[in-house]
């Protein structure tokens, strides 16, 4: 038995009759806060730059637990299991990397990204906009960044970018903006969400005009 097989068996036993009552009563929805928390803890461990292998391995394990947990809930309901998740992911990776697994030639990262976007559009024809699929629940800054990247790749119009040349300077400028907003009783997160919604409406109108 591989370590992953052992983990799947442990999870199944925890959720089986006679196992852990807390684990047994969890649902996909009830686990969402833990999924978000564990992902943030892993990101913090990586970005801090001081995580040793044991710490990083533990944080990766906590994220993996969320995947295994969700897969076991689905398995118990007769829908799919972890093997199905892994199989689907492997198939998607092969399909999205034809320059590795097929005969498509690329000259660099830009070609890889362009191919990925084209294949994703073909796989998800229900998405009529380059901006579809960006989670509304993302933190405002992360959502704004993702929307701007999508818009740029789609050739949509965004304002000329000017600003700090380093992440250190950018962080200081962002912190100063948040500090100023707080001093005036303004909600920086809400303000950016509102500005991003306005940008999204403008970009979607531009897309519609091209159709």
């Amino acid at each position: 038995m591989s370590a992953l097989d052992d983990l799947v068996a442990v999870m199944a036993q925890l959720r089986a009759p006679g196992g852990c009552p807390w684990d047994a009563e969890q649902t996909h929805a009830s686990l969402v806060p833990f999924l978000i928390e564990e992902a943030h803890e892993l990101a913090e461990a990586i970005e801090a730059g001081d995580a040793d292998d044991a710490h990083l391995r533990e944080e990766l394990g906590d994220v993996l637990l969320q995947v295994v947990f969700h897969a076991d809930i689905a398995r118990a309901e007769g829908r799919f299991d972890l093997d199905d998740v892994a199989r689907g992911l492997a198939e998607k990776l092969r399909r999205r990397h034809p320059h590795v697994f097929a005969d498509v030639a690329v000259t660099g990262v830009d070609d890889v990204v362009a191919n990925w976007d084209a294949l994703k559009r073909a796989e998800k024809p229900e998405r009529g906009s380059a901006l579809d699929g960006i989670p509304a629940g993302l933190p405002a800054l992360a959502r704004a960044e993702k929307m701007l990247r999508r818009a740029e790749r789609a050739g949509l119009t965004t304002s000329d970018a000017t600003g700090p040349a380093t992440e250190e300077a950018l962080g200081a400028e962002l912190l100063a903006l948040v500090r100023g907003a707080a001093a005036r009783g303004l909600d920086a997160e809400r303000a950016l969400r509102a500005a991003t919604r306005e940008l999204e409406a403008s970009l979607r109108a531009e897309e519609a005009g091209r159709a």
Side-chain angles (χ1 to χ4, degrees):
M1 178 182 291
S2 70
L4 189 57
D5 289 333
D6 185 38
L7 174 59
V8 170
V10 168
M11 189 75 254
Q13 185 172 349
L14 286 172
R15 299 192 64 255
C20 174
W22 186 90
D23 289 305
E25 71 178 12
Q26 298 311 304
T27 65
H28 291 304
S30 71
L31 290 174
V32 168
F34 302 102
L35 173 62
I36 295 171
E37 179 182 351
E38 298 300 355
H40 279 292
E41 288 185 4
L42 173 58
E44 181 179 357
I46 293 171
E47 292 176 352
D50 57 1
D52 58 24
D53 284 352
H55 183 196
L56 186 57
R57 187 171 63 243
E58 179 183 4
E59 297 298 346
L60 285 166
D62 288 341
V63 172
L64 177 59
L65 169 60
Q66 298 305 308
V67 177
V68 173
F69 211 142
H70 282 278
D72 192 72
I73 291 172
R75 176 202 59 78
E77 295 173 353
R79 295 156 52 205
F80 59 83
D81 61 15
L82 188 63
D83 274 350
D84 295 318
V85 174
R87 187 178 302 109
L89 177 57
E91 289 172 355
K92 181 167 75 172
L93 288 173
R94 292 190 186 98
R95 192 169 60 247
R96 297 275 183 91
H97 294 81
H99 53 289
V100 176
F101 299 102
D103 56 359
V104 173
V106 297
T107 59
V109 173
D110 288 345
D111 284 351
V112 172
V113 173
N115 285 342
W116 180 282
D117 286 343
L119 289 165
K120 191 171 183 178
R121 286 194 299 272
E123 292 169 11
K124 301 180 183 293
E126 71 279 6
R127 293 185 178 179
S129 167
L131 307 180
D132 287 349
I134 300 177
L138 280 177
L141 186 57
R143 189 167 192 272
E145 288 183 318
K146 193 170 187 67
M147 186 170 297
L148 288 168
R149 286 197 300 270
R150 289 270 194 95
E152 181 180 0
R153 293 208 301 264
L156 299 173
T157 304
T158 57
S159 300
D160 292 337
T162 58
T166 67
E167 287 195 0
E168 182 179 5
L170 174 61
E173 187 169 313
L174 288 171
L175 184 57
L177 286 170
V178 173
R179 185 182 292 116
R184 293 170 177 80
L186 303 175
D187 187 321
E189 180 83 2
R190 185 169 60 222
L192 183 55
R193 282 202 302 269
T196 303
R197 283 195 297 270
E198 291 181 9
L199 173 63
E200 181 177 7
S202 173
L203 293 170
R204 287 181 180 275
E206 181 180 348
E207 279 186 314
R210 292 180 178 183

